Structure formats: structure tokens, C-alpha cells
């Protein structure tokens, strides 16, 4: 089976999801190619989308939030003249030619903009390849209602089925398999083993602080506040590609043991070594965190989809969210001072986690293509 995965660079989550799918399909013996959709079309378009996204969420948060909220209020089937759809009509030809040249048996995409593109191609060309869309947040982004011609849509959890149906998807299109993650996040190793490997105290409670690939948020300020707590803790911090934050943290001396990293490839091990994570609620990070049964303290959510992720996680008892007078000091103190608090959150996590999401999606896709060929 030949699989083509379409992704978009808007942060790293969508690409990481695409890579996890590719890794699983190849492990199953299938040929798989990941295509950065807009880079394939035009480098200038790629820069507009990727750099524009980062600039918007960093410098224009309030505007982004207002636009996202307004889009959420769109009436059903009001999208035919939307700007993304009009743009994708113009650029659909290049992607269609790429699909024809590669001739996949299966098309999977990890961003709603790709969903619009596929929908436009199906509408104009009648493309009959099996297409599966992946929702990479714990919310149905407003633009998913423009991808209704897809064969299937994968959502993070059964609890989002009503939201997917409100977007116009039929129940038989909806698959509640979860957000695809690298299989290494599906396995949980003993905390003591990983702490020893990292040079940490094997018996001491451990807090993991992350800011995503961009090192987003006030990581140094968070460390300082936790460091001042009258609790016997140790801290792991991942600054991602934010070298400025990493250097500032490295230059200071703390009362507690602090392991400080830049970009790492062993986040799965850092999670296994930890008792909770302080992080912004990106869809992929959230899925990985839940797979590892790790209670979450939410900070600095990007307005729009990440704010909706935070609401979903709070409403289901698997996370605490900072804001207003409620600081990281309060959250960490409650987690480690209230007996049974972490265990309660883990029980809630067990209800919604999808540790086998990637293999479940790929096995379904394999069977779906097989059925299509037999018919």
C-alpha cells in the first residue's frame, strides 16, 4: 500500500503527527511519503503560512483570539466564499498533480487547510482515493466544516463526536482513535529507572516544564516560583529552540536541582521521570502527556485552539489551568500536598487517553483501503 501524508508547517505539531504516521505505516510494511503541502506548492506560500502563524500567535494574540471566536460562530455551510477555500481553489492544481504522480492508495492529512485543499480537489476533479483527516486538537477547528468530502475524520476522543457532527460530518465518517503520537509515548517506563538515568534523585517528586518547540512562555519565571516553594522537588526544563531562555536559566543558581535542556529527542523519557508537567496545551503535547498518564498544569495557551484544549482538559479533570490569581505555586502545592490528588487525576486520564492511537489509525486505514479495492 502507498500512503501520502499531507502536512502543514504551523508550529511543529502537525509535522510530528505526520512523522508518527509515516513511522507506523513503514513498520507495517507500507510505502509512505510525507509532503509539506505549501512548501511543495511554493516556498513563498510556505513562508507566509509558517512564519505568519508564529508571528500571529506571538505578537497578535488578541486579534487571533477574536478572529478564531468569530469563525467559531459561522453558520453551517457558510464557507463557500471563505478566504482559505478561495486560495486553495487557486493552488489546488499543483497538489492534485503531485497526488496523481505518486498515485497513493491512501491520503491522510494533518491540518484543516489540507482538508480544504483535498475537499476542493474532490469537488473539482472527483478524486476517489481514500482520504482521512486527523484532528490534532481537542476541539473541532472552525475550518473542519470545509472538509466534509473526506472519507473519514479522526478525532481525539469519543467526547468530541457531537462537535464533529455539528460541523456536518456523518457518524460513519467519525473515528475516535485519538491524535497520532510516536509509539515511544505509548510505553511507560519506571520513574526510578529514568530518574537514575538522568542523574536525578530516584525518590524525589519531579516537575517537568516545557514550552514546546519554540520554548514559548515564561519558563525562567516558572522555575523561580517552583524553586521558592517549601516542597522537596526537583525540576526538569525543556527550552526547545529558545536559546535565549536556556542561557538565562543556565546562568542562575537554584535551591532545588534543575536539569535544563534545549531541543531534545527524549521527551518520552523526561515524561516518564516526572510526576506532572507544566506546559502550554498543544494538541500533540497533550496527547503524549495523556498517554504517559501525566497530570498537566496548563500555562500560556495560544488563544483559539489551545484555549479550547485547556477547557476540554479542565472539564475532564486531567489538568489544572493557571490564570488570574491562580499561579503555578498554587497548582504545584495542591498537586503534591493534597493526598490522592495526583492519583485522582490519573484515574481521569485513564478514561480519555489514547496510547495506541497511531497503530489503531493505521490498522483501520489498511483495512479501509483493502475493502475499497475488494468493492
Amino acid at each position: 500500500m502507498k500512503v501520502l501524508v499531507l502536512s502543514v508547517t504551523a508550529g511543529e505539531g502537525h509535522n510530528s503527527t505526520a512523522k508518527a504516521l509515516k513511522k507506523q505505516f513503514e513498520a507495517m510494511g507500507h510505502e509512505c511519503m510525507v509532503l509539506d503541502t505549501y512548501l511543495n506548492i511554493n516556498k513563498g506560500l510556505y513562508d507566509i503560512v509558517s512564519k505568519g502563524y508564529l508571528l500571529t500567535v506571538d505578537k497578535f494574540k488578541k486579534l487571533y483570539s477574536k478572529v478564531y471566536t468569530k469563525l467559531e460562530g459561522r453558520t453551517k455551510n457558510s464557507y463557500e466564499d471563505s478566504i482559505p477555500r478561495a486560495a486553495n481553489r487557486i493552488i489546488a492544481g499543483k497538489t492534485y498533480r503531485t497526488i496523481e504522480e505518486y498515485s497513493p492508495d491512501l491520503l491522510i492529512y494533518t491540518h484543516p487547510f489540507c482538508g480544504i485543499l483535498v475537499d476542493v480537489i474532490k469537488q473539482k476533479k472527483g478524486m476517489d482515493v481514500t482520504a482521512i483527516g486527523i484532528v490534532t486538537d481537542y476541539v473541532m477547528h472552525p475550518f473542519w466544516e470545509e472538509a466534509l468530502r473526506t472519507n473519514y475524520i479522526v478525532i481525539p476522543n469519543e467526547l468530541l463526536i457531537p462537535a464533529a457532527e455539528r460541523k456536518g460530518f456523518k457518524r460513519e465518517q467519525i473515528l475516535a482513535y485519538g491524535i497520532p503520537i510516536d509509539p515511544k509515548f505509548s510505553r511507560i517506563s519506571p520513574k526510578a529507572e529514568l530518574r537514575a538515568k538522568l542523574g536525578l534523585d530516584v525518590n524525589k517528586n519531579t516537575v517537568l516544564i516545557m514550552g514546546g518547540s519554540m520554548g514559548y512562555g515564561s519558563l525562567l519565571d516558572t522555575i523561580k516560583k517552583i524553586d521558592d516553594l517549601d516542597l522537596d522537588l526537583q525540576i526538569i526544563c525543556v527550552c526547545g529552540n529558545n536559546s535565549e531562555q536556556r542561557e538565562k536559566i543556565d546562568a542562575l543558581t537554584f535551591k532545588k536541582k534543575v536539569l535544563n535542556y534545549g531541543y531534545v529527542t527524549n521527551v518520552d523519557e523526561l515524561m516518564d521521570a516526572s510526576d506532572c508537567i507544566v506546559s502550554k496545551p498543544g494538541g500533540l503535547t497533550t496527547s503524549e502527556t495523556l498517554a504517559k498518564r501525566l497530570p498537566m498544569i496548563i500555562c500560556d495557551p495560544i488563544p483559539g485552539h489551545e484555549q479550547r484544549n485547556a477547557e476540554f482538559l479542565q472539564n475532564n479533570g486531567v489538568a489544572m489551568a493557571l490564570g488570574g490569581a491562580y499561579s503555578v505555586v498554587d497548582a504545584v502545592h495542591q498537586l503534591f500536598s493534597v493526598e490522592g490528588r495526583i492519583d485522582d487525576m490519573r484515574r481521569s486520564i485513564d478514561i480519555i487517553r489514547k496510547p495506541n492511537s497511531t497503530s489503531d489509525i493505521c490498522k483501520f486505514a489498511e483495512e479501509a483501503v483493502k475493502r475499497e479495492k475488494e468493492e
Side-chain angles (χ1 to χ4, degrees):
M1 182 171 76
K2 291 178 70 175
V3 183
L4 179 61
V5 183
L6 302 180
S7 186
V8 168
T9 299
E12 284 303 314
H14 303 286
N15 289 335
S16 295
T17 296
K19 290 173 185 175
L21 290 165
K22 175 180 169 66
K23 185 175 181 179
Q24 181 63 36
F25 276 122
E26 289 180 341
M28 295 167 64
H30 301 302
E31 179 184 333
C32 184
M33 181 174 77
V34 173
L35 187 72
D36 193 315
T37 308
Y38 292 137
L39 181 60
N40 177 63
I41 294 170
N42 181 275
K43 178 62 165 59
L45 180 61
Y46 166 85
D47 287 337
I48 290 171
V49 175
S50 59
K51 294 178 182 179
Y53 173 78
L54 296 179
L55 179 65
T56 300
V57 299
D58 185 36
K59 303 296 184 183
F60 303 101
K61 296 177 189 175
K62 290 184 178 179
L63 176 62
Y64 183 83
S65 179
K66 287 181 179 178
V67 171
Y68 188 95
T69 301
K70 186 174 179 60
L71 288 171
E72 285 182 314
R74 292 194 303 182
T75 56
K76 191 175 180 180
N77 299 324
S78 64
Y79 56 75
E80 283 298 332
D81 297 318
S82 75
I83 293 174
R85 195 168 192 85
N88 277 300
R89 284 196 188 102
I90 296 170
I91 61 178
K94 179 69 179 290
T95 301
Y96 178 66
R97 287 192 295 274
T98 300
I99 294 170
E100 279 203 314
E101 288 169 7
Y102 187 67
S103 189
D105 301 293
L106 174 68
L107 185 65
I108 295 189
Y109 53 92
T110 66
H111 193 285
F113 283 0
C114 296
I116 298 173
L117 191 58
V118 170
D119 198 83
V120 167
I121 292 172
K122 280 180 170 282
Q123 185 181 35
K124 293 175 66 176
K125 305 288 187 179
M127 182 179 65
D128 61 359
V129 62
T130 300
I132 300 177
I134 309 289
V135 178
T136 56
D137 285 292
Y138 289 79
V139 63
M140 294 300 299
H141 190 285
F143 287 123
W144 278 113
E145 69 181 45
E146 302 195 33
L148 300 181
R149 289 180 177 84
T150 197
N151 296 82
Y152 302 101
I153 185 84
V154 178
I155 60 174
N157 192 272
E158 291 86 352
L159 297 171
L160 289 171
I161 289 175
E165 290 178 329
R166 287 196 297 272
K167 283 296 173 189
F169 290 101
K170 298 174 182 177
R171 182 62 188 87
E172 57 267 25
Q173 290 176 281
I174 304 168
L175 310 172
Y177 288 141
I179 299 172
I181 54 176
D182 190 293
K184 65 185 179 180
F185 288 95
S186 302
R187 303 180 294 270
I188 299 178
S189 300
K191 291 192 186 303
E193 178 184 314
L194 269 301
R195 287 174 184 171
K197 182 178 179 179
L198 295 167
L200 293 167
D201 188 321
V202 298
N203 298 311
K204 193 171 288 190
N205 288 327
T206 306
V207 178
L208 173 61
I209 302 169
M210 291 181 59
S213 61
M214 299 176 287
Y216 193 80
S218 304
L219 303 180
L220 175 56
D221 184 56
T222 300
I223 292 176
K224 285 181 176 178
K225 288 178 179 176
I226 296 175
D227 191 52
D228 283 336
L229 269 171
D230 188 22
L231 291 172
D232 194 16
L233 303 170
Q234 51 196 357
I235 301 167
I236 303 172
C237 181
V238 180
C239 298
N241 294 314
N242 192 330
S243 57
E244 182 180 352
Q245 285 231 51
R246 186 185 182 188
E247 289 170 5
K248 287 180 179 179
I249 294 168
D250 283 341
L252 297 178
T253 301
F254 301 98
K255 291 173 280 187
K256 295 176 173 43
K257 184 173 183 65
V258 176
L259 295 184
N260 186 40
Y261 300 101
Y263 181 82
V264 298
T265 58
N266 67 330
V267 171
D268 58 311
E269 294 184 336
L270 302 183
M271 287 183 174
D272 279 335
S274 303
D275 295 288
C276 72
I277 180 171
V278 182
S279 174
K280 71 186 196 71
L284 185 65
T285 297
T286 295
S287 187
E288 294 167 348
T289 298
L290 293 175
K292 290 291 189 180
R293 302 185 73 237
L294 205 57
M296 193 172 194
I297 298 173
I298 297 169
C299 64
D300 303 311
I302 293 172
H305 56 289
E306 287 195 358
Q307 188 59 51
R308 298 295 178 262
N309 287 346
E311 293 166 3
F312 177 90
L313 297 170
Q314 279 185 280
N315 288 338
N316 286 283
V318 302
M320 309 161 80
L322 308 182
Y326 191 73
S327 75
V328 69
V329 172
D330 301 310
V332 172
H333 183 269
Q334 288 177 22
L335 271 180
F336 293 107
S337 298
V338 178
E339 186 176 352
R341 181 72 172 117
I342 289 179
D343 289 336
D344 286 344
M345 293 182 75
R346 285 184 180 141
R347 279 191 285 271
S348 295
I349 288 171
D350 286 339
I351 296 172
I352 65 171
R353 66 194 283 264
K354 301 286 185 181
N356 302 312
S357 55
T358 311
S359 60
D360 288 344
I361 292 167
C362 293
K363 287 174 184 175
F364 174 88
E366 184 181 57
E367 289 299 318
V369 170
K370 185 179 178 181
R371 287 195 303 271
E372 288 290 328
K373 288 184 176 181
E374 289 175 349
E375 293 173 0

